[in-house]
């Protein structure tokens, strides 16, 4: 792996499979009475969040703490950023405090790349979402969830998603999750199809390693996993579709549409959900929906990422002691 995790496109197949396999080991730690490893004891991880977040920030905090790292949570609100402090000065402050890793979420696309390549800090930089650009750990946890559901936990080790058909539906234009997933799923061998209104398909999508469809009903019967994206109203300054009701009618996933999917297929959502718009309550609360699993898997994936960036070459989880090695 590289020193930083900025883009899903930076990961080779071997990198991605290593992270998924390491996360599988980390997930076993969550089943223990004491959910902690001493791996990153003495290391400091800073969560540098310039945008609001619930799942991602708490997930990274839980991951770092389960690895015994010291965690500093930084929020732009109530900090010197609200007084006009620049990213550079904030980074220099963190460096002076001895940050070993900085997990950054920023409203500006490219901010994590700038931080990683500026020389302002010596620690590892992890992109936790930048503007409408990328969100690599979300893509990793999505791939981890699909692999667990479709391949199986034990059988999944060392495997990618070759031949699996993943459909991503909704607001592709504003979705950093979609961009990261297209890159990563393609690297892992999956066939990705994007489904959205023409107004919510990005310019240049023909150069992405995926197919594009405007007809959800024609794609569902051949999908192994269907990922529903939230319509990001906060990033919209124009009318991208006539009404919410019309959007739900053409691109929302309800019980009837879910019934057209193969029996083994799963429904995914990165959250937060707009229930009744891109997904109905019936689908969101069904056993085929992995939204809650994705949250749990996010902790395992982020533990794996922090471990691989900071933990060196030691085994992630020590082998249980036997009579021979006592």
């Amino acid at each position: 792996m590289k020193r930083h995790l900025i883009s899903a496109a930076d990961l080779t197949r071997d990198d991605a499979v290593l992270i998924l396999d390491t996360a599988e080991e980390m997930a076993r730690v969550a089943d223990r009475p004491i959910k902690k490893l001493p791996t990153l004891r003495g290391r400091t991880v800073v969560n540098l969040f310039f945008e609001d977040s619930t799942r991602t920030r708490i997930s990274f905090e839980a991951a770092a703490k389960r690895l015994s790292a010291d965690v500093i949570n930084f929020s732009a609100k109530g900090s010197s950023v609200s007084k006009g402090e620049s990213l550079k000065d904030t980074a220099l402050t963190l460096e002076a405090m001895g940050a070993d890793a900085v997990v950054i979420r920023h409203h500006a696309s490219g901010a994590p790349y700038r931080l990683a390549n500026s020389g302002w800090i010596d620690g590892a930089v992890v992109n936790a979402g930048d503007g409408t650009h990328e969100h690599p750990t979300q893509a990793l946890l999505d791939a981890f969830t699909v692999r667990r559901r479709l391949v199986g936990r034990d059988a999944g080790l060392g495997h990618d998603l070759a031949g699996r058909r993943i459909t991503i539906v909704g607001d592709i234009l504003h979705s950093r999750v979609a961009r990261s997933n297209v890159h990563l799923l393609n690297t892992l061998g999956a066939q990705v199809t994007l489904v959205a209104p023409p107004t919510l398909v990005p310019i240049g999508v023909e150069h992405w390693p995926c197919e594009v469809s405007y007809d959800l009903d024609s794609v569902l019967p051949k999908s192994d996993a269907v990922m529903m994206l939230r319509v990001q109203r906060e990033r919209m300054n124009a009318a991208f579709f006539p009404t919410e009701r019309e959007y739900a009618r053409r691109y929302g996933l309800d019980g009837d549409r879910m019934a057209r999917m193969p029996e083994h297929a799963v429904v995914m959502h990165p959250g937060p959900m707009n229930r009744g718009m891109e997904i109905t309550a019936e689908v969101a609360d069904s056993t085929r929906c992995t939204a809650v699993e994705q949250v749990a898997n996010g902790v395992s994936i982020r533990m794996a990422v922090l471990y691989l960036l900071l933990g060196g070459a030691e085994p992630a989880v020590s082998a249980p002691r036997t009579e021979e090695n006592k």
Side-chain angles (χ1 to χ4, degrees):
M1 278 184 65
K2 295 186 177 181
R3 188 170 159 232
H4 309 290
L5 179 57
I6 306 301
S7 167
D10 294 338
L11 296 172
T12 65
R13 179 201 172 275
D14 288 344
D15 289 337
V17 171
L18 174 63
I19 295 171
L20 298 183
D21 287 352
T22 304
E24 201 64 69
E25 293 188 57
M26 296 301 181
R28 295 191 183 105
V29 175
D31 296 330
R32 296 179 179 180
I34 299 176
K35 301 173 174 59
K36 272 208 168 189
L37 295 172
T39 315
L40 299 185
R41 186 174 292 153
R43 301 295 191 100
T44 300
V45 176
V46 178
N47 287 328
L48 182 59
F49 277 61
F50 292 85
E51 274 189 335
D52 292 338
S53 170
T54 301
R55 291 163 185 77
T56 304
R57 185 185 63 77
I58 292 174
S59 182
F60 268 110
E61 181 177 0
K65 286 182 175 178
R66 286 186 184 179
L67 292 170
S68 301
D70 297 318
V71 181
I72 299 173
N73 289 315
F74 175 100
S75 174
K77 292 176 182 176
S79 73
S80 294
V81 171
S82 61
K83 302 175 184 177
E85 183 173 69
S86 66
L87 177 62
K88 177 180 179 179
D89 289 329
T90 300
L92 293 174
T93 299
L94 298 178
E95 175 63 17
M97 292 178 179
D100 295 293
V102 177
V103 177
I104 177 171
R105 168 168 285 195
H106 203 283
H107 50 79
S109 298
Y113 179 86
R114 181 80 175 105
L115 188 63
N117 293 278
S118 62
W120 300 333
I121 62 170
D122 290 330
V125 175
V126 180
N127 181 3
D130 60 328
T132 58
H133 178 230
E134 280 217 43
H135 195 351
T137 59
Q138 179 69 44
L140 284 162
L141 73 88
D142 291 340
F144 183 71
T145 303
V146 171
R147 193 176 75 160
R148 273 191 148 194
R149 278 290 192 114
L150 300 184
V151 182
R153 297 187 183 190
D154 296 326
L157 292 176
H159 284 67
D160 57 17
L161 298 174
R164 301 294 178 174
R165 296 163 298 184
I166 315 296
T167 300
I168 303 176
V169 186
D171 185 2
I172 309 295
L173 179 63
H174 302 99
S175 178
R176 53 196 173 205
V177 173
R179 284 169 173 78
S180 285
N181 265 295
V182 168
H183 288 308
L184 183 69
L185 292 171
N186 178 69
T187 298
L188 289 169
Q191 301 169 22
V192 182
T193 301
L194 303 179
V195 180
T199 52
L200 289 176
V201 174
I203 295 172
V205 74
E206 63 272 11
H207 301 299
W208 294 15
C210 63
E211 296 180 358
V212 178
S213 173
Y214 304 107
D215 184 359
L216 178 58
D217 293 315
S218 68
V219 178
L220 289 176
K222 51 188 179 182
S223 300
D224 294 307
V226 177
M227 185 182 304
M228 306 304 298
L229 299 175
R230 180 175 66 90
V231 174
Q232 300 189 38
R233 298 186 188 93
E234 72 277 9
R235 299 188 192 275
M236 295 182 179
N237 54 8
F240 287 87
F241 44 85
T243 64
E244 292 185 5
R245 186 175 179 178
E246 174 69 9
Y247 179 91
R249 186 180 71 82
R250 294 198 61 188
Y251 297 101
L253 189 63
D254 57 18
D256 290 339
R257 281 198 165 118
M258 184 171 65
R260 297 174 202 167
M261 295 165 53
E263 287 187 12
H264 68 272
V266 295
V267 176
M268 309 180 72
H269 198 301
M273 297 180 185
N274 290 319
R275 288 181 179 235
M277 192 169 177
E278 74 264 8
I279 190 169
T280 63
E282 177 188 1
V283 176
D285 296 331
S286 75
T287 56
R288 299 179 73 174
C289 183
T290 65
V292 176
E293 282 176 54
Q294 288 169 261
V295 175
N297 291 341
V299 178
S300 300
I301 280 289
R302 286 155 182 147
M303 286 176 72
V305 168
L306 291 173
Y307 163 74
L308 290 169
L309 290 177
L310 299 178
E314 293 295 319
V317 181
S318 58
R321 299 179 71 190
T322 63
E323 291 300 322
E324 288 80 4
N325 62 18
K326 279 184 180 178

